[in-house]
Amino acid sequence: MMADHNEAAFEKEICEYLEARGWLYSANDHDGGEYDRERALFPADLFAWLEATQI
């Protein structure tokens, strides 16, 4: 029988690591607007990044 794996702790550790280095993280996925499954991103995040880095 295969053991159940829970990656929640691993995910939390990765998110905390990235957040400490400036990555925006929200435990509530809806904070970033509508998620685009096809492109695997939040368009609002992409446009905010473009404005901050390309202007």
Side-chain angles (χ1 to χ4, degrees):
M1 185 166 127
M2 190 180 299
D4 289 331
H5 295 281
N6 184 345
E7 296 183 7
F10 182 56
E11 177 182 351
K12 183 176 185 283
E13 185 174 333
I14 290 171
C15 291
E16 288 172 352
Y17 175 89
L18 292 170
E19 184 177 35
R21 286 151 181 83
W23 184 64
L24 299 177
Y25 167 71
S26 172
N28 179 354
D29 291 340
H30 299 292
D31 290 348
E34 188 67 30
Y35 184 70
D36 183 334
R37 284 183 170 264
E38 184 177 333
R39 293 172 183 86
L41 55 75
F42 289 97
D45 290 347
L46 172 63
F47 293 124
W49 176 80
L50 287 171
E51 284 182 23
T53 62
Q54 306 302 312
I55 293 179

